[in-house]
């Protein structure tokens, strides 16, 4: 149960978690709303969301690289100012954030525990297994996997309804 894990982890001073969809077309917003509502109910925590930028590629040409040092400073600032920081990305675990660094490698190097978000759909089995494989091969600390109803219906649910689904 991911909410139980988050509750247990937050009582052990979990400050930061990476919430990652299995692919770029996966919306994690409903899960973020549930997590924020849960943490606020469990202790009125101040929560900040920090979105990881994507490697900018246009027509197979690299247009700019992400400054990891600046991103690290932003994360540290957010951790200082808030009780909990939810780091998010719009791609999967294998998505590059720089020429040499994937989301999974960043999570490992920065010791960010990861919650993977996957829809409950037949066509999501392969990308979910791939995301898990990348995470485990890279030795990412996995907090859990959240299975959501399909993308369209998940966005229509309230945080309370999503929390009931996750229990």
């Amino acid at each position: 149960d991911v909410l139980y894990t988050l509750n247990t982890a937050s009582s052990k001073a979990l400050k930061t978690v990476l919430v990652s969809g299995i692919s770029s077309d996966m919306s994690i917003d409903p899960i973020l709303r549930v997590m924020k509502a849960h943490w606020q109910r469990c202790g009125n925590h101040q929560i900040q969301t920090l979105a990881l930028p994507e490697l900018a590629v246009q027509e197979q040409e690299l247009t700019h690289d992400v400054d990891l040092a600046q991103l690290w400073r932003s994360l540290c600032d957010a951790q200082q100012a808030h009780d909990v920081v939810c780091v998010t990305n719009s791609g999967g675990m294998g998505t590059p954030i720089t020429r040499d660094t994937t989301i999974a490698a960043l999570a490992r190097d920065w010791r960010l525990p990861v919650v993977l978000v996957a829809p409950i759909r037949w066509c999501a089995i392969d990308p979910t297994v791939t995301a898990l494989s990348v995470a485990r091969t890279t030795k990412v600390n996995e907090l859990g996997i959240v299975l959501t109803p399909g993308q369209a219906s998940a966005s229509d649910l309230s945080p309370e309804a999503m929390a009931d689904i996750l229990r």
Side-chain angles (χ1 to χ4, degrees):
D1 182 79
V2 172
L3 289 180
Y4 174 78
T5 302
L6 292 174
N7 192 37
T8 304
S10 66
S11 67
K12 295 178 181 176
L14 175 71
K15 292 269 302 172
T16 308
V17 62
L18 172 67
V19 181
S20 177
I22 59 166
S23 66
S24 60
D25 65 346
M26 175 75 217
S27 174
I28 59 174
D29 290 340
I31 297 303
L32 288 175
R33 288 194 309 267
V34 170
M35 291 170 68
K36 285 179 179 183
H38 174 75
W39 266 316
Q40 287 170 342
R41 269 187 298 229
C42 290
N44 200 22
H45 297 290
Q46 293 292 327
I47 300 157
Q48 174 68 35
T49 301
L50 179 67
L52 293 175
E54 291 183 35
L55 184 65
V57 178
Q58 292 179 350
E59 298 180 20
Q60 306 300 326
E61 292 293 321
L62 185 66
T63 58
H64 74 275
D65 218 350
V66 173
D67 182 351
L68 290 180
Q70 176 58 42
L71 192 57
W72 176 254
R73 286 189 295 275
S74 296
L75 176 61
C76 291
D77 290 346
Q79 288 173 325
Q80 290 293 323
H82 299 87
D83 299 321
V84 178
V85 179
C86 291
V87 180
T88 65
N89 72 300
S90 60
M93 295 302 292
T95 301
I97 191 165
T98 69
R99 291 179 177 122
D100 304 318
T101 306
T102 63
I103 296 297
L106 185 81
R108 177 201 59 220
D109 294 347
W110 290 4
R111 296 188 176 112
L112 300 175
V114 174
V115 173
L116 289 175
V117 180
I120 302 171
R121 293 193 312 240
W122 182 255
C123 62
I125 294 171
D126 183 58
T128 303
V129 170
T130 300
L132 281 170
S133 178
V134 169
R136 289 179 179 165
T137 301
T138 311
K139 299 191 182 346
V140 167
N141 177 16
E142 298 168 40
L143 276 181
I145 301 170
V146 176
L147 300 174
T148 67
Q151 183 174 345
S153 61
S155 64
D156 296 334
L157 293 176
S158 68
E160 292 78 19
M162 286 295 293
D164 287 341
I165 290 169
L166 294 175
R167 288 185 192 153

